[in-house]
């Protein structure tokens, strides 16, 4: 069997913990280094008797793991979600349709990220995506009800900011954002050159790795329930997405408004994953659930004088800062990453080829209300 001949198929479960039948339509992901693991719990049998020899173990609950990496690339159309969106969905990031509309001057602002806006004439309601200050020609939002109209005034529910719409809303792509409930479970199949390893009821966690001049890579670790290891032919006639991933260059990277010079960055979308044990299930586990999360990140900008960006003072004060950057510039294949409340938790000295760096670790904080707003990934 050949390690390069592998496929991953992923399908959202209609009923949690009930394995879906996967087909070629579910296997459009192109992944790196896929690997399945099984950690069957074994009951030790070593009753007291004259011999020290243990008796045969009894297999019990059958959890499974699955890991792989993939490139973050668009579908090629702002109207079509990339195939990997369903994988992030099982890691607690929901995709919502994103719209944009032209606006005039913002008064009393800025509009705040995730606050509600309403139209004075249409009574339409939406949720702001990315803090929008005076001077911005457009505002991104997720539509909730109604349709905003050109010429009407929109008002922010928290900020009180107002602006007059200068052009009607248009589809801008999608926004991926954290959620705390109704996180879907997925069935995943790893095809290994004639063998299929099936995992049901799986959810996971992800890391995003950014390196100068390379595509943004997403790294996934899933936990689920073993649902069969069988001889199966590899899937055929798969229609893969053909877009090439954008590289991490010309990123317009900023932290607290400072254009930091970085070479690499990592975002760890760390979820707590626990098993939902169920004695009614033949494998002892219904599925795995996400019960909490703690998003963290790190990057390594060049050290600068405090007057430019005081890394240490910001850490000592507990300041929360906006981190904003992008990858790609072609519609249907570009991304913007927006962190509204990054907080330094460690700043260390580091060196690269004689350059002094500030190795920074930070957390991604959410708001008190509404929450679920530590991160926004705009698929544009």
């Amino acid at each position: 069997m050949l390690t390069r001949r592998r496929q991953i198929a992923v399908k959202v479960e209609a009923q949690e913990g009930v394995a879906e039948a996967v087909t070629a339509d579910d296997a459009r992901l192109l992944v790196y280094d896929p690997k399945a693991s099984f950690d069957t719990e074994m009951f030790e049998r070593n009753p007291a008797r004259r011999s020290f020899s243990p008796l045969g173990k009894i297999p019990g609950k059958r959890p499974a793991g699955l890991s792989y990496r993939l490139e973050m690339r668009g579908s090629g159309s702002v109207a079509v979600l990339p195939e990997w969106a369903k994988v992030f969905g099982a890691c607690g990031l929901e995709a919502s349709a994103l719209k944009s509309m032209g606006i005039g001057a913002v008064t009393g602002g800025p509009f705040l990220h995730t606050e509600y806006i309403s139209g004075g004439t249409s009574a339409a309601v939406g949720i702001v995506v990315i803090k929008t200050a005076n001077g911005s020609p457009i505002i991104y939002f997720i539509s909730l009800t109604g349709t905003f109209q050109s010429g009407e005034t929109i008002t922010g529910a928290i900020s009180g900011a107002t602006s007059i719409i200068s052009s009607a809303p248009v589809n801008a792509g999608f926004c991926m954002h954290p959620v705390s409930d109704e996180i879907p479970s997925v069935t995943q199949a790893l095809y290994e050159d004639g063998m299929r390893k099936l995992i049901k009821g799986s959810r996971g966690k992800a890391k995003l790795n950014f390196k100068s001049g390379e595509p943004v890579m997403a790294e996934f670790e899933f936990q689920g329930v073993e649902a069969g290891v069988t001889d199966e032919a590899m899937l055929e006639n798969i229609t893969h997405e053909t877009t090439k991933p954008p590289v991490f260059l010309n990123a317009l990277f900023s932290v607290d408004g400072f254009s930091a010079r970085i070479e690499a960055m990592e975002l760890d979308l760390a979820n707590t994953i626990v098993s939902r044990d169920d004695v009614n299930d033949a494998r002892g586990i219904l599925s795995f659930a996400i019960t909490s999360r703690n998003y963290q990140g790190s990057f390594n900008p060049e050290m600068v004088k405090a007057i430019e960006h005081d890394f240490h003072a910001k850490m000592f004060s507990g300041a929360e800062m906006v981190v904003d950057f992008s990858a790609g510039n072609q519609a249907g294949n570009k991304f913007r990453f927006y962190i509204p409340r990054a907080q330094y938790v460690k700043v260390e000295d580091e060196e690269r080829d004689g350059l002094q760096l500030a190795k920074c670790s930070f957390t991604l904080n959410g708001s008190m209300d509404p929450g679920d707003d530590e991160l926004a990934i705009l698929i544009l």
Side-chain angles (χ1 to χ4, degrees):
M1 297 175 67
L2 303 177
T3 58
R4 289 289 300 277
R5 284 176 48 84
R6 296 192 174 190
Q7 300 167 318
I8 287 286
V10 183
K11 190 169 185 177
V12 175
E13 293 176 346
Q15 182 177 343
E16 181 168 348
V18 176
E20 294 282 341
V22 297
T23 68
D25 287 340
D26 307 309
R28 299 174 62 212
L29 291 171
L30 292 174
V31 303
Y32 293 78
D33 308 317
K35 182 179 179 181
S37 59
F38 301 99
D39 190 21
T40 301
E41 295 185 11
M42 295 289 184
F43 181 78
E44 300 278 351
R45 299 180 66 223
N46 196 8
R49 63 196 200 285
R50 62 175 293 185
S51 171
F52 287 163
S53 300
L55 302 179
K57 299 175 178 61
I58 301 175
K61 293 186 292 186
R62 287 145 71 175
L66 182 63
S67 62
Y68 48 86
R69 299 182 298 128
L70 56 79
E71 303 158 341
M72 291 195 69
R73 55 196 177 92
S75 68
S77 168
V78 295
V80 180
L81 263 175
E83 189 68 14
W84 46 254
K86 62 185 177 184
V87 182
F88 275 103
C91 296
L93 285 176
E94 181 177 273
S96 298
L98 184 70
K99 294 182 179 293
S100 67
M101 56 189 175
I103 56 172
V106 176
T107 58
F111 291 102
L112 303 177
H113 178 62
T114 70
E115 79 168 325
Y116 284 73
I117 52 172
S118 58
T121 304
S122 66
V125 178
I127 300 175
V128 175
V129 176
I130 298 180
K131 183 170 72 173
T132 307
N134 186 40
S136 175
I138 65 169
I139 186 168
Y140 288 112
F141 68 98
I142 296 168
S143 180
L144 294 180
T145 61
T147 302
F148 291 104
Q149 300 174 5
S150 181
E152 73 172 329
T153 298
I154 55 172
T155 303
I158 298 174
S159 65
T162 61
S163 185
I164 297 175
I165 299 173
S166 60
S167 63
V170 295
N171 294 329
F174 299 88
C175 176
M176 301 203 71
H177 50 91
V179 291
S180 297
D181 60 356
E182 298 185 2
I183 298 169
S185 60
V186 292
T187 294
Q188 303 196 70
L190 172 59
Y191 290 83
E192 297 180 339
D193 196 14
M195 178 181 288
R196 188 187 75 170
K197 298 175 179 177
L198 192 66
I199 297 173
K200 66 173 185 173
S202 64
R203 293 184 174 94
K205 53 188 174 181
K207 288 183 181 179
L208 298 178
N209 292 298
F210 306 83
K211 190 171 183 180
S212 177
E214 296 184 3
V216 180
M217 298 296 294
E219 197 176 303
F220 297 94
E221 291 185 14
F222 283 93
Q223 291 178 271
V225 184
E226 177 271 319
V229 180
T230 56
D231 290 339
E232 298 271 354
M234 297 186 74
L235 297 170
E236 298 181 352
N237 301 318
I238 299 171
T239 305
H240 293 293
E241 294 169 332
T242 58
T243 50
K244 293 183 179 180
V247 296
F248 190 46
L249 291 174
N250 195 28
L252 302 175
F253 188 95
S254 68
V255 51
D256 204 24
F258 168 64
S259 298
R261 292 184 292 273
I262 70 168
E263 182 264 340
M265 177 177 179
E266 178 183 275
L267 295 180
D268 186 358
L269 310 185
N271 296 320
T272 300
I273 315 291
V274 301
S275 64
R276 299 187 68 191
D277 293 356
D278 185 359
V279 296
N280 296 310
D281 190 283
R283 290 161 172 81
I285 305 170
L286 172 67
S287 64
F288 278 76
I290 297 173
T291 59
S292 66
R293 63 175 179 261
N294 183 23
Y295 289 0
Q296 303 175 58
S298 62
F299 53 51
N300 61 348
E302 284 187 30
M303 178 59 80
V304 294
K305 293 181 178 180
I307 194 172
E308 295 183 62
H309 185 80
D310 196 332
F311 293 96
H312 296 91
K314 293 180 185 297
M315 178 178 63
F316 298 151
S317 68
E320 293 183 326
M321 306 162 291
V322 171
V323 177
D324 191 1
F325 59 97
S326 60
N329 54 25
Q330 296 294 319
N333 195 28
K334 61 181 179 179
F335 309 95
R336 183 172 176 180
F337 301 84
Y338 184 76
I339 303 168
R341 298 174 189 83
Q343 180 181 355
Y344 292 143
V345 293
K346 183 179 287 188
V347 179
E348 301 175 283
D349 283 346
E350 193 172 67
E351 182 266 347
R352 184 182 72 243
D353 299 329
L355 290 174
Q356 183 178 353
L357 308 179
K359 183 180 178 181
C360 300
S361 300
F362 57 90
T363 58
L364 282 66
N365 301 334
S367 64
M368 178 68 72
D369 186 30
D372 288 342
D373 53 3
E374 303 98 302
L375 171 68
I377 303 175
L378 279 62
I379 305 170
L380 304 168

